[in-house]
Amino acid sequence: MEKLEVKGLSKSFGHSEVLHDISFSVHDGEFLSILGPSGCGKTTILRILIGLESAEKGMILKDGVDITNLPSAKRKMGIVFQNYALFENMSVLKNVQYALLKSTSTKDSFNKEQAAQKAKEMLELVDLSEHLDKKPRQLSGGQQQRVAIARTLALNPDVILFDEPMSALDVDTRLSLRGELKELQKRFGTTMIYITHDQEEAFAMSDRIMVMDSGVIQQLDTPSNIVDHPANDYVKRFVIQNINIKINSLIQFARTEDKTE
Amino acid sequence: MSAARSMRKKYIPSTALKIVLCIFWLFAIILPLIRMLSTMATVDVGQVLSTAKFARALGHSLLVTAVATVISVCLAGLLAWCVARTNIKHKALLNTLLIVPMLIPSISHGMGLIIILGSNGWISRIIGLQNGIYGFWGIVIGSVMYSFPVAYLMIYDVLHYEDGTPYEAGNVMGLSVKDKFFAITLPYLRKPLISVIFATFTMVITDYGVPLMVGGKFTTLPVMMYQDVIGMLDFGKGSVIGMIMLIPAIIACVIDMANRDKGNANFVGKPYTIKKNVARDNVARIICILTIILIFLPIASFAVLGFINKYPIDMAFSFKNLNQAVHMGAMKYLRNSVIIAVVVSILGTALALVNAYMTARNKTKLSYVLHLMSITSLAIPGLVLGLSYVMFFKSTPIYGTFAILFLVNAMHFFASPYLMAYNTFGKINENLEDVGSTMGIGRWGIIKDVILPQSFGTILEMMSYFFINCMMTISAVSFLANVSDKPLALMITQFEGQMQLECAAFVSLLILAVNVLLKVVIYFIKKATNKSN
Amino acid sequence: MKKIKALGLLLMAAVMIVGVTACGGNKGGDTPAGSGSASPAASDNRVVIYSGAEEYRNEYFLKRLNEEFPDYDISIEYMPTGNLAAKLAAEGTDTDMDIFYDLDFSYAGLVEQYLADVSEYDQSIFVDDCKVPGGHYLAATRNGGAIIINPDVLAEKGLPEPTSYQDLLKPEYKGLVSMPDPKSSGTGYMFVKNLVNAWGEDKAFEYFGKLADNILQFTSSGSGPVNALVNKEAAIGLGMTAQAVTAINDGANLKILFFEEGSPYSLYGYAIPEGKQNRPAVKAVFDFFYNTLVKEDKELYYPEQVFVDQVNNIENYPKNIKYGNMEGNTTEEKQRLLEKWEY
């Protein structure tokens, strides 16, 4: 059975249609990237998947169950936003602990101490044990990102959605965070859906990539298949050409790294 | 079907709340104003607007307000930079001292100016100023005095909370101080600066306290309106002028809306790091000290006036004015003022928070209506608001009670605290409610545990803004108060009207004392909570 | 979380302050906070008087009223005459005002529709120009105007005393003359009306047009010019005689002059808003004003002629004042003239 199945999703804002009859499925434990330029509708898919937005048409199945109309909190999915959405008035530890204590899915299973314990464990996983009492403002962008990930993971979702989570980070942090993310995925076996406009990022991390443009899926396949058999001109242009440029620059980057070491 | 239900569940309460708020505004602002404007029916509007006198007053008002606004905002920006962007010491103290002028009524500033720069003012005598500063410069100086602290607070807030990362980037790129100012600071300030400029502009253009005292023959619109309403009982003509003064607020709102949602991608950044630079700090210190001396001159003269026998005949120290004021019920009126100020600071702040939340973080079409309503009150001169309340509420049960004073003050001073909350809420991460809802933490939970704590400082400022202005206001309450609920500030006009300037000075000082006390309390609360964090 | 607690504490403290101060007030015998004195349920012996008279006169009235009516709850509230009229015009008969005192006749005329009929009171005690034809208000005070100077300021500038209205136009007096704004002050208006009657409208307005160049400030209140003279802000003021006398008796060095056009004056009245006359307490207090208080007020503070039978014994008060021509001082005339006022 597929982890997620999306059938015939359509959505308009006013007169402009942002999603047109979108259907796809996500395997259990898969890392799926949704790749497309800004305004292609990828963020809207994410918001509909997690229930922050409703679609005009179509349905969403999770583990074979229709969740189209379920409130977002009951979908057992988590989301990491581009701007992390951390609780800035709380310490790193409290960010996770608070989520555990207040979330409808976990609040009955934890008292204050247990939640703190669990939060510490989660933060250790993302290597933040030294920063438990700091406020988010005192952390680097990558560290903040990891707090957001720990907070989401703590609630034990089986699908995590990422909304361009690395676009505000520098190249170094991105590279190391990519590794960590894959690591975490392996460890928890969580299905991850990752939105990006960065071709190279999508190719580096994904099991499969869904290329989107103007509210329509252009191609959904494994990275190698996309490279070998681009479905149309758009994919060729937007994906393949760009990726070549990026790869070249990456090679250069790697070379300078070598030199400095 | 259940989709519709679940969506509605999320949607309906906030829409319903917005509708309730709109109805509230309808009764608190719109209908009273319409009632007031209905007196215009008897007036030939075109004829009022085409008189030479009106054109002159309009010209005067625009000129004096434009100049005062430019000076106010520049001065405020300079001072905000001095305090927020240097390693100057005692920042909290400076922040408190610089806003002292906004703690006394504008009419008191007018009196203070007469004492130092009037025809017989002590500085006029020293520098040989012949006829005092009556007229254009008098109004400009007086207006800058009470309006720059407001602009200062707003700009300081923006600079203080500005993200430091772009500057780090700028440093890396080797940008000069000038380049950074034009490339980073100014674009970042643009949006708040527009709010600041309009807030200052509308504040100055609607004030009549200063022009009344030091305007000389330089008649401005509010004074003209005052003459028509009070002097000629011509409410219709007064309304026409009042309506003209509404225009800046409407423009402000339009520009503010056009201005919205551009470059609003704020997330956790880094606080701005201030580099070591002793020379810069010294310059900032000199600017601050100089400004503080200048703004304290009239207030100090005033303090002297409050405790002498009879200016300028008998300059002996005396408690005569204190006794006289107390004898006339100053303590009872002080009690009334404090009641009004406390209640309005609580209810007004709560209402402003709810409104700002609905406009800044729960945007729908109704939000625009609410936003318009919320900032409109800024432009309604107190006199217009007070009179329209008299006409609209005179046969309702709340008339003649404290309740109507609470309401009129909350409305009159609503815009600024509302904008403080609006700006703060707008700056707080936009995805908090979404992330909460995916975690099963409701909107209210996020508001209570995350958004309000993050806005704590702003909330304190909002409460103190309401409090302070309720202590000072004259125009909005002068018709609505009666013998049992009269606030203290009305004693100033009462004394002023009877040539007892010394008593008026004493009452102004009393108001200042209460407001300073409040500021001190707020200062310690802030200090305590900063420590606990 | 701590901040929320702090905020909570602050709110609680605030509520307590309000509670305590409000209760404290009640003990003091005031009306309970929040209960409106405008409501018809106000207790029967409560009388609220708004007065345009100076505070020392109001205090005297209150003292006498408390002696006369120990069971009544009487309060007197000062309000500038224009505000008083505006309040009445805006509120109509829905007002907490039971009686007003010292409201300019021209204003009283504007709000006459809201006033109770008082034609039953005998008007023969008044001199002719103080008899009110409409019968809705009664004469209380004659407020005479004069040219008042501060000899010290003139001496300092080396300038002579003016002897006529024309003198005031001399360029050396530029910025030294203070006059109340006729639009907001009855005192200001009476000077305008007086000269219009004396010289004809065109000449009078031409005169004020020139005078405006010398004016330091058109003050909003009639007491402004004397105030400015006492504070040495101005050298010459078109002000109120009685106020100048008070200032002189308080130690100010001022001099009162009358020019050949005579002293302009305006009349002030007292009345009851319609409906309030039915309350016995209000009526009793009003009667006391008519029979006793107004006369005492004239003897003690404002001696200028209102009653046929009246003497002026106040120290330094000019005797045998020659009054100017104030004929045709109606509300309509005031509105018409002020429409033409451009300054």
Side-chain angles (χ1 to χ4, degrees), chain C residues 7 14-15 31 43 54 72 90-91 95 100 115 131 135 153 176 195 205 264 273-274 281 289-290 298 313-314 327-328:
Chain C
L7 203 62
V15 170
T31 46
S43 69
E54 294 86 344
Y72 287 8
E91 293 184 337
T95 176
F100 69 70
L115 303 179
K131 291 174 174 140
V153 179
L176 294 176
L195 292 193
F205 271 88
E274 175 60 37
F289 265 99
Y290 177 81
K298 298 316 108 186
N313 288 326
I314 295 174
E327 256 167 51

Side-chain angles (χ1 to χ4, degrees), chain B residues 123-293:
Chain B
I123 290 186
S124 308
R125 286 175 166 254
I126 293 170
I127 62 173
L129 189 68
Q130 269 302 312
N131 293 331
I133 36 81
Y134 291 95
F136 176 77
W137 284 109
I139 305 178
V140 168
I141 295 171
S143 304
V144 168
M145 293 284 274
Y146 69 81
S147 67
F148 97 83
V150 178
Y152 169 79
L153 278 181
M154 292 170 85
I155 301 176
Y156 177 81
D157 232 34
V158 174
L159 286 182
H160 186 63
Y161 292 113
E162 188 180 357
D163 184 7
T165 22
Y167 291 91
E168 287 179 5
N171 289 338
V172 173
M173 288 160 67
L175 294 186
S176 70
V177 174
K178 195 183 105 197
D179 288 340
K180 276 186 281 182
F181 178 76
F182 284 105
I184 306 171
T185 315
L186 215 54
Y188 174 73
L189 272 177
R190 197 202 60 197
K191 198 174 153 183
L193 214 50
I194 288 174
S195 301
V196 174
I197 288 170
F198 276 98
T200 313
F201 191 90
T202 38
M203 190 176 174
V204 174
I205 205 166
T206 56
D207 174 68
Y208 79 95
V210 166
L212 211 57
M213 294 305 294
V214 294
K217 286 174 292 178
F218 200 86
T219 308
T220 59
L221 283 184
V223 171
M224 189 178 165
M225 187 175 121
Y226 181 85
Q227 291 167 347
D228 280 326
V229 171
I230 305 290
M232 317 249 314
L233 303 190
D234 194 339
F235 296 156
K237 220 160 145 190
S239 304
V240 174
I241 301 169
M243 205 181 62
I244 298 295
M245 281 189 281
L246 277 172
I247 293 173
I250 294 165
I251 297 173
C253 189
V254 169
I255 292 179
D256 194 51
M257 279 186 180
N259 212 14
R260 253 186 218 219
D261 293 337
K262 281 179 201 159
N264 205 13
N266 261 307
F267 35 92
V268 188
K270 276 182 156 178
Y272 181 86
T273 37
I274 301 161
K275 277 181 284 181
K276 238 184 123 173
N277 183 340
V278 178
R280 176 204 60 198
D281 292 355
N282 282 333
V283 171
R285 193 171 303 124
I286 291 168
I287 294 174
C288 287
I289 291 172
L290 217 60
T291 312
I292 288 169
I293 291 175

Side-chain angles (χ1 to χ4, degrees), chain A residues 43-89:
Chain A
T43 297
T44 310
I45 295 190
L46 212 65
R47 293 179 66 85
I48 293 173
L49 283 181
I50 202 161
L52 292 171
E53 208 104 44
S54 63
E56 276 120 35
K57 265 187 260 166
M59 74 192 291
I60 305 164
L61 301 178
K62 182 157 165 268
D63 299 319
V65 181
D66 181 1
I67 60 161
T68 320
N69 301 322
L70 219 55
S72 39
K74 293 198 173 153
R75 299 186 180 201
K76 277 193 73 75
M77 293 168 137
I79 187 165
V80 175
F81 284 103
Q82 183 180 14
N83 55 26
Y84 325 131
L86 295 179
F87 308 138
E88 285 181 46
N89 55 315

Side-chain angles (χ1 to χ4, degrees), chain C residues 138-207:
Chain C
L138 300 170
T141 308
R142 183 191 302 271
N143 173 26
I147 310 304
I148 302 144
I149 59 169
N150 187 324
D152 295 343
V153 179
L154 284 177
E156 221 172 90
K157 314 247 176 202
L159 296 172
E161 283 180 14
T163 56
S164 71
Y165 280 111
Q166 292 303 333
D167 276 358
L168 300 186
L169 298 182
K170 289 181 180 165
E172 54 261 41
Y173 293 126
K174 192 171 175 64
L176 294 176
V177 184
S178 179
M179 171 182 176
D181 187 335
K183 285 202 151 186
S184 61
S185 154
T187 307
Y189 171 71
M190 72 196 187
F191 280 94
V192 176
K193 180 62 185 161
N194 182 24
L195 292 193
V196 166
N197 283 359
W199 301 344
E201 208 167 306
D202 292 343
K203 197 180 162 207
F205 271 88
E206 194 195 326
Y207 173 78

Side-chain angles (χ1 to χ4, degrees), chain B residues 263-525:
Chain B
N264 205 13
N266 261 307
F267 35 92
V268 188
K270 276 182 156 178
Y272 181 86
T273 37
I274 301 161
K275 277 181 284 181
K276 238 184 123 173
N277 183 340
V278 178
R280 176 204 60 198
D281 292 355
N282 282 333
V283 171
R285 193 171 303 124
I286 291 168
I287 294 174
C288 287
I289 291 172
L290 217 60
T291 312
I292 288 169
I293 291 175
L294 284 178
I295 59 185
F296 272 85
L297 274 182
I299 295 173
S301 316
F302 217 53
V304 172
L305 193 67
F307 288 97
I308 58 168
N309 229 336
K310 180 77 205 152
Y311 173 87
I313 306 167
D314 179 2
M315 302 287 279
F317 177 85
S318 115
F319 284 116
K320 194 188 97 187
N321 308 309
L322 183 149
N323 291 334
Q324 162 94 18
V326 170
H327 177 71
M328 283 174 58
M331 289 307 141
K332 187 185 125 194
Y333 299 140
L334 175 63
R335 190 204 78 201
N336 291 342
S337 278
V338 172
I339 291 175
I340 295 168
V342 169
V343 172
V344 172
S345 68
I346 294 170
L347 298 183
T349 303
L351 187 66
L353 287 172
V354 174
N355 259 284
Y357 185 85
M358 289 301 165
T359 53
R361 298 191 71 86
N362 192 309
K363 285 182 187 173
T364 58
K365 275 179 190 147
L366 272 178
S367 301
Y368 288 81
V369 180
L370 281 180
H371 187 70
L372 180 73
M373 304 268 182
S374 300
I375 66 168
T376 299
S377 64
L378 190 72
I380 305 174
L383 205 60
V384 174
L385 193 65
L387 270 176
S388 62
Y389 266 46
V390 172
M391 293 175 185
F392 186 73
F393 287 107
K394 64 182 175 190
S395 22
T396 65
I398 67 164
Y399 192 74
T401 70
F402 270 101
I404 197 159
L405 298 183
F406 298 155
L407 187 65
V408 78
N409 279 321
M411 292 303 101
H412 187 199
F413 301 114
F414 194 78
S416 291
Y418 162 79
L419 284 172
M420 292 180 207
Y422 178 80
N423 288 334
T424 300
F425 285 167
K427 267 183 272 166
I428 292 175
N429 194 302
E430 57 180 336
N431 292 117
L432 285 176
E433 287 89 344
D434 281 350
V435 92
S437 110
T438 65
M439 289 177 170
I441 304 168
R443 193 180 274 280
W444 173 238
I446 294 290
I447 293 173
K448 178 170 67 80
D449 296 330
V450 184
I451 295 177
L452 289 183
Q454 281 189 38
S455 315
F456 182 75
T458 308
I459 294 173
L460 280 182
E461 285 306 329
M462 291 165 71
M463 292 180 76
S464 82
Y465 183 91
F466 273 119
F467 186 97
I468 285 162
N469 282 290
C470 286
M471 289 299 301
M472 301 192 304
T473 185
I474 293 170
S475 56
V477 293
S478 61
F479 294 112
L480 292 165
N482 60 33
V483 285
S484 57
D485 57 20
K486 188 168 102 170
L488 184 63
L490 288 186
M491 286 188 96
I492 296 178
T493 44
Q494 186 176 342
F495 284 129
E496 191 268 330
Q498 297 178 62
M499 68 177 269
Q500 291 170 299
L501 274 189
E502 298 81 6
C503 287
F506 172 75
V507 172
S508 305
L509 283 178
L510 199 56
I511 291 174
L512 178 66
V514 173
N515 283 343
V516 167
L517 187 69
L518 175 92
K519 279 285 169 194
V520 171
V521 169
I522 297 266
Y523 169 74
F524 279 109
I525 293 177

